[in-house]
Each structure stands twice: as structure tokens, then as C-alpha cells.
Amino acid sequence: MKTKLSVVLLIVLVFLTACTGSKESEEVEPQFLDVKLSVNPEQGNIDEPVTFEAKVTYGDKKVTEPNSIDFEIWRANDENHEKIIPEHIGNGVFKLEKTFTVEGTYYIYSHVTAENMHSMPKKEFVIGTPSDPEDSITSTIME
């Protein structure tokens, strides 16, 4: 009788240990959507191209097909914002090349939605002579 009880207890113990181990392996550490936005050059000239790139990752994974991505560009204190969809050039990198015909201080937001998260880093850049920058209240207003 003691042998049967010992065997049953051993089986129950092994079963409980196996169940506990599988729960730990099922837990997934949360990842974050990261967008590294770059402007090159940050001090440009009229009628010369400026390159914008967004490197998009989710944890260690390069995001190649986000739910949505666009670049929002505007001149400081201007109500007109232009939204442009960049080209995916590979490895989670999205690129846009644009020339400007008016001098001044400009801003760009990259709006990226992927993996049920949204990221929108912002950069300032200048074409020719800088204009008055936006104050912190107007610079956060988006279209």
C-alpha cells in the first residue's frame, strides 16, 4: 500500500512540476516599438535634397510592414502640414528624399503604428536661414 501511495505522489509531483515549467516558458516579455528618426543634413539649402529615415524595430525584430507609416513635415508656425508616405528600403528602414524652396526652420514627425503601438518621434531641421521656431504649445499641435 505504501508503495502505491508513493508512486501516486511521485506522479502528481512530476505532473505539477511539468505544469509549472510550461507556464514560465509561455510568458512573453513585452517589447516596445522603437523609431529612430534621422534628418540628413540637419542644416540644408534651398533646392538641395534632404534625406529623412526612420529605422523601425519592435524589440529585436526589424519592422518591415507596419500598420501605417507617414512623415508629417511643416515649416515653423505654418498651419499647412504635408504628410508623405516614405519608401521601405529594407531591414526596417523607411526613407524619403525631399527638396525645399523656402528657407526656414522646419519640423518632421514620423508617425508609425505597428504591433498595436504608435510612435511619433519629432526632429527640427533648417533650410537656409532659420526662421522663428515654434513655441512648445504650437509645436505639439498636429493636423
Side-chain angles (χ1 to χ4, degrees), residues 6 21-22 25 47 68 75 77 79 81 83 94 121 123 128:
S6 296
S22 66
S25 65
D47 295 326
S68 67
R75 189 171 183 270
N77 301 305
E79 292 181 14
H81 294 210
K83 289 189 176 183
F94 296 82
K123 291 278 187 178

Side-chain angles (χ1 to χ4, degrees), residues 23-43:
K23 285 183 182 177
E24 288 176 10
S25 65
E26 289 176 12
E27 291 180 17
V28 177
E29 187 173 320
Q31 303 294 318
F32 294 97
L33 181 64
D34 185 36
V35 180
K36 296 204 181 332
L37 178 62
S38 65
V39 179
N40 188 22
E42 289 184 3
Q43 173 72 51

Side-chain angles (χ1 to χ4, degrees), residues 72 74-75 77-81 83 107 109 111 120 122 134-143:
E72 179 180 2
W74 72 99
R75 189 171 183 270
N77 301 305
D78 191 344
E79 292 181 14
N80 296 321
H81 294 210
K83 289 189 176 183
Y107 299 94
Y109 270 119
H111 297 277
M120 46 186 278
K122 178 182 179 182
E134 295 183 342
D135 61 31
S136 60
I137 295 172
T138 58
S139 67
T140 60
I141 298 173
M142 295 176 296
E143 233 177 42

Side-chain angles (χ1 to χ4, degrees), residues 64-127:
T64 58
E65 295 183 24
N67 299 93
S68 67
I69 183 168
D70 65 57
F71 292 165
E72 179 180 2
I73 302 171
W74 72 99
R75 189 171 183 270
N77 301 305
D78 191 344
E79 292 181 14
N80 296 321
H81 294 210
E82 182 178 16
K83 289 189 176 183
I84 305 168
I85 297 174
E87 173 188 4
H88 182 236
I89 60 171
N91 293 322
V93 178
F94 296 82
K95 180 178 177 179
L96 171 69
E97 197 170 275
K98 180 173 174 54
T99 57
F100 297 84
T101 59
V102 178
E103 289 187 323
T105 301
Y106 285 81
Y107 299 94
I108 180 171
Y109 270 119
S110 75
H111 297 277
V112 181
T113 303
E115 303 292 339
N116 296 317
M117 300 181 93
H118 185 76
S119 179
M120 46 186 278
K122 178 182 179 182
K123 291 278 187 178
E124 179 181 287
F125 61 100
V126 175
I127 302 299

